[in-house]
Amino acid sequence: MKTGSISGLSLCIAALEIAALFHGTPAEAQAAARVDMKRLLNADAERGQWMSHSRTFNEQYFSPLDRINEKNVGNLGLAWFVDLPTNQNIETTPLMIDGVLYLTLPWSKVLAVDARSGKQLWLYDPKVAGAWNINICCGVDNRGAAAWNGKIIYGTLDGRLVALDAKTGKPVWSVKSTPDERRYSITGAPRIANGKIFVGSAGGEFDARGYIDAYDAETGKRLWRFWTIPGDPAAGFENKAMEMAAATWKTPGWWKSGGGGTVWDAITYDPANDLVIFGTGNGAPWDSVQRDPAGGDNLFMTSIVAVHAKDGSYAWHYQTTPWETWDYDTGQQLMLLDLELGGSKRHVVVQASKNGFFYILDAASGKLLSAEPFTDVNWATGVDMQTGRPNMVPEARTNLTNKVFNLTPGPAGAHAWQSMSYSPITKLVYIPATTHWQLIGALDARQKYLAEHPDTRQSFTGRLTAWDPVAQREVWRSEEFINPAGGVQVTGGALATAGNLVFHGNLPKQEFAAYRATDGRKLWSFGTKTAVLAGGISYEVAGEQYVAVAVGGPMPGGYYAPNGARLLVFKLGGKTVLPDLPPFTERPIAPPPQFANAETITRGAQVFEAQCQLCHGRNGAARSTFPDLRRSPALQDQNLLDAIVLQGALSERGMGSFRQYLKDGDTVALRAYLISAAEAALAQRPAQQTPAR
């Protein structure tokens, strides 16, 4: 062919090359992540892509693909898998853009693989210092990234916002996003619209003051910040919204503890109103009396808030739980729906909240339209539709009554970060729902109550619930999932597809399953050999539909055991066999003889509850992927325990020094308590019932 001439044949070839760019060209040969606002707004026109965290701005976790459907899902099999370089919990939702899958991993690593074969394209490690784990409440996980103009953008545990070249995995820019003076981290996925990145942070378990930021996606320059908690009035308020919020904090000096209200996960951009809508966390400290004894509402914690995307100015808010004290944050997914309510079409934002209520708010104004419980709830009898406030049960405020109360949902909540999904075909929302009972109150009061009422219900069960958001009622539910180890993680995220399917995973059965979306009949399941916590995605390459899910979670053997962290990718007719995990023998519970009296053990229990329980779980039995302290060699040796807890001997593995948070004698008492907890485990009795010695 002569230079400058264009034949019919060459036009056909060119057309085929363009088509191949999106349908089958090896991923490493493609232009990477060319995402802009036009593509995001028209995501439904590119049915096979998954270009943002929940696929579209409406955060519905719905795929319009239907090659895999209720009639043929029984033929679904494993196409390929990738072993992930970690034994920590996997909570990421991958992106799939133009033939490449992008996954965020524990310790803030990012992996890119070919979406047809699983071939690794690149792996980026930001080198977060292990000692930073002391600033993290709930694991070193990361839930996802955003894509924009050839860049993959995400947050790190040590508070950086990083943009990577989608083609090479090399940093384009990196900025410190979190303030230096308090304990912050980033684990949630940022959102992006019109070239602005929206991101918050975690830290409400410590002394953080919550906020949400917007950054320029091309340069990393911060464009605006909206604080969710007012600061010291003497320093002046950043805006009128902070002045308004300050009027709901009654006790002078509240700002010294930060106040909480972090935007740790739930962020939604609403194109219809150009609003960023987000959920805020619990107060800091958790106990409302410690935080604000005079008893104000404490805005904007435990609230759904909207700000204008252009400048971060306040638009509206709705507070789900005023003066909250049970960790009922609103960090759960916020989904945009268009519903027929009361005879008219309403554009709404909905949330299956941690406190057990399913909320429906007008997306433009924040007006409460409906609130009904989707699981067992006993802290409130309902929500007053005139005031929007919950009708609280006084007995649930044990910090005021000095009694105990068997709370449901307990602090782990009725629905956490795991994705819910919506099918515009069935018009149902699919919620990973839980029933959680937990005895609350002062430690000594709980000990006495449990001794007198040994059959007190303290359980955590989960299910996939299909919810009609218009009628506000349950339509169907899956089988119950019960963690035999008593842990608080049982359900994974949900993915709905146009094939009349809902995919959902769980921890106790270690399976990824497909349910018929209309009636909940289980049609297919796959043994994952590990927990499934995150939600899956569905995508299409070269005319083939795939379903992908990243798996890996708490396993028998705990922190030291291989947890089967993998990316699993399924297709019709897939024949790949998933290998078993390598054998592992768990360290036994073998405590030394108790050396302390009851008073010291009680002091140790208080130290553990204040400083250790958040990560290591009740009685030291391990939460998430942290070590089971009842099995620790440090129980045998006070010097070893002090080297770890006070001197930071295991800092690079994530256990930093707690010296600044402990008093003289605390580690001796802590060791006494852990020995007591280990003895209780061997005797199969609650650790709180340790007898006086």
Side-chain angles (χ1 to χ4, degrees):
M1 183 179 68
K2 295 181 180 179
T3 303
S5 67
I6 302 178
S7 67
L9 177 60
S10 63
L11 281 172
C12 290
I13 293 173
L16 288 171
E17 288 175 344
I18 292 171
L21 182 65
F22 300 101
H23 298 292
T25 297
E28 58 267 33
Q30 298 179 18
R34 299 178 303 173
V35 176
D36 57 18
M37 193 61 179
K38 182 178 179 180
R39 289 188 78 181
L40 291 175
L41 285 171
N42 294 281
D44 280 333
E46 299 188 55
R47 300 166 67 245
Q49 307 282 346
W50 199 283
M51 295 182 289
S52 61
H53 186 66
S54 304
R55 197 184 71 83
T56 59
F57 282 129
N58 56 31
E59 303 280 332
Q60 292 177 5
Y61 269 89
F62 173 78
S63 169
L65 299 176
D66 60 3
R67 290 178 183 271
I68 300 169
N69 55 60
E70 61 175 315
K71 295 181 180 179
N72 61 22
V73 70
N75 297 322
L76 197 63
L78 188 64
W80 50 265
F81 68 92
V82 175
D83 287 310
L84 302 177
T86 183
N87 72 335
Q88 300 294 294
N89 282 0
I90 301 296
E91 299 185 359
T92 187
T93 296
L95 302 177
M96 201 300 291
I97 307 168
D98 302 336
V100 180
L101 285 159
Y102 303 94
L103 299 83
T104 58
L105 302 176
W107 286 109
S108 309
K109 298 176 183 179
V110 185
L111 175 67
V113 301
D114 185 287
R116 292 185 70 183
S117 67
K119 176 185 176 182
Q120 179 173 316
L121 303 178
W122 51 260
L123 175 66
Y124 175 72
D125 183 355
K127 305 294 185 182
V128 175
W132 194 267
N133 199 13
I134 198 172
N135 300 314
I136 303 164
C137 93
C138 311
V140 295
D141 45 79
N142 190 291
R143 297 185 193 92
W148 186 263
N149 193 22
K151 294 178 287 293
I152 302 300
I153 302 167
Y154 79 112
T156 66
L157 289 169
D158 54 3
R160 287 174 278 165
L161 189 64
V162 179
L164 303 176
D165 185 300
K167 178 81 170 179
T168 65
K170 297 184 182 302
V172 177
W173 53 257
S174 176
V175 296
K176 184 67 163 62
S177 173
T178 57
D180 292 327
E181 64 271 17
R182 298 185 186 273
R183 297 168 70 182
Y184 290 96
S185 60
I186 303 176
T187 55
R191 305 306 200 268
I192 193 164
N194 294 314
K196 294 185 180 71
I197 307 159
F198 308 111
V199 66
S201 65
E205 289 70 28
F206 306 116
D207 59 355
R209 180 190 179 195
Y211 65 88
I212 185 172
D213 283 344
Y215 290 83
D216 186 298
E218 299 297 344
T219 66
K221 178 183 177 182
R222 194 171 83 197
L223 302 176
W224 52 255
R225 168 169 289 175
F226 180 87
W227 293 99
T228 63
I229 300 293
D232 183 354
F237 298 113
E238 291 85 359
N239 50 51
K240 292 291 185 181
M242 287 299 95
E243 185 176 5
M244 172 182 69
T248 68
W249 293 76
K250 301 299 185 182
T251 304
W254 80 80
W255 57 88
K256 296 177 182 178
S257 65
T262 54
V263 185
W264 59 271
D265 199 51
I267 302 173
T268 297
Y269 173 71
D270 179 11
N273 296 297
D274 196 28
L275 294 177
V276 181
I277 306 173
F278 53 92
T280 64
N282 51 274
W286 283 358
D287 185 341
S288 56
V289 170
Q290 293 182 31
R291 184 175 66 243
D292 187 4
D297 285 353
N298 299 173
L299 291 173
F300 291 110
M301 53 161 250
T302 61
S303 299
I304 300 170
V305 184
V307 297
H308 296 283
K310 62 180 179 180
D311 58 9
S313 59
Y314 169 86
W316 56 259
H317 80 276
Y318 171 75
Q319 187 173 45
T320 62
T321 319
W323 204 46
E324 190 275 336
T325 198
W326 309 287
D327 196 22
Y328 287 163
D329 62 59
T330 56
Q332 302 73 53
Q333 178 183 349
L334 292 163
M335 180 186 288
L336 297 170
L337 298 176
D338 293 302
L339 302 178
E340 291 285 342
L341 298 174
S344 61
K345 191 173 184 178
R346 302 294 294 263
H347 181 59
V348 301
V349 58
V350 306
Q351 182 182 73
S353 197
K354 198 175 181 183
N355 69 12
F357 286 92
F358 190 95
Y359 293 96
I360 303 178
L361 310 175
D362 182 89
S365 67
K367 179 183 178 181
L368 177 65
L369 302 178
S370 182
E372 295 292 338
F374 63 91
T375 188
D376 291 353
V377 172
N378 74 349
W379 67 274
T381 59
V383 176
D384 187 319
M385 292 304 297
Q386 297 301 313
T387 65
R389 302 175 70 87
N391 300 315
M392 292 190 184
V393 175
E395 292 80 6
R397 288 202 177 276
T398 57
N399 54 354
L400 298 180
T401 66
N402 293 320
K403 298 180 180 179
V404 298
F405 183 76
N406 201 15
L407 179 73
T408 187
H415 173 225
W417 58 267
Q418 290 90 342
S419 62
M420 64 182 186
S421 60
Y422 174 79
S423 170
I425 300 171
T426 65
K427 301 188 185 308
L428 298 177
V429 177
Y430 302 95
I431 309 168
T434 59
T435 299
H436 180 210
W437 293 81
Q438 183 167 317
L439 196 67
I440 61 171
L443 178 62
D444 56 349
R446 297 201 312 267
Q447 290 176 337
K448 180 179 179 182
Y449 187 91
L450 286 171
E452 297 172 351
H453 304 86
D455 296 329
T456 298
R457 184 179 183 186
Q458 294 192 86
S459 63
F460 198 102
T461 64
R463 70 206 72 89
L464 179 66
T465 293
W467 188 261
D468 182 337
V470 175
Q472 282 281 53
R473 66 177 182 87
E474 182 179 295
V475 175
W476 58 258
R477 64 169 59 188
S478 71
E479 70 272 38
E480 292 285 322
F481 307 117
I482 303 173
N483 189 340
V488 299
Q489 293 176 313
V490 287
T491 61
L495 163 70
T497 77
N500 198 28
L501 297 172
V502 183
F503 291 91
H504 176 250
N506 65 75
L507 181 149
K509 293 187 175 183
Q510 298 182 1
E511 70 173 4
F512 186 55
Y515 298 85
R516 188 155 58 199
T518 46
D519 62 10
R521 180 182 176 186
K522 185 188 285 188
L523 302 176
W524 170 88
S525 66
F526 180 87
T528 57
K529 305 181 188 294
T530 185
V532 185
L533 303 177
I537 70 170
S538 190
Y539 64 90
E540 186 176 71
V541 178
E544 183 90 66
Q545 182 182 353
Y546 298 87
V547 175
V549 62
V551 303
M555 294 287 287
Y559 176 82
Y560 298 99
N563 77 337
R566 290 162 168 157
L567 173 65
L568 307 181
V569 179
F570 303 90
K571 70 176 183 178
L572 294 174
K575 301 295 185 183
T576 298
V577 176
L578 191 65
D580 290 335
L581 302 184
F584 176 81
T585 301
E586 187 173 22
R587 182 182 289 138
I589 297 178
Q594 181 59 265
F595 63 87
N597 58 25
E599 182 179 1
T600 300
I601 294 170
T602 297
R603 176 183 173 185
Q606 293 167 342
V607 171
F608 180 85
E609 191 169 76
Q611 302 295 342
C612 314
Q613 181 170 295
L614 192 64
C615 291
H616 288 284
R618 300 185 71 189
N619 309 324
R623 175 177 187 241
S624 185
T625 46
F626 292 88
D628 183 339
L629 296 184
R630 302 170 304 174
R631 305 173 189 273
S632 172
L635 268 63
Q636 311 289 334
D637 187 340
Q638 187 67 49
N639 290 330
L640 177 58
L641 183 73
D642 288 348
I644 295 170
V645 176
L646 299 179
Q647 299 164 26
L650 299 179
S651 289
E652 284 309 306
R653 289 170 55 181
M655 177 61 195
S657 169
F658 274 73
R659 182 182 296 277
Q660 63 180 311
Y661 305 108
L662 298 175
K663 301 176 182 178
D664 289 345
D666 277 356
T667 59
V668 173
L670 179 62
R671 179 168 166 254
Y673 167 70
L674 291 174
I675 291 172
S676 172
E679 291 175 338
L682 290 175
Q684 296 185 334
R685 56 178 168 77
Q688 290 90 341
Q689 297 183 47
T690 301
R693 292 178 182 270

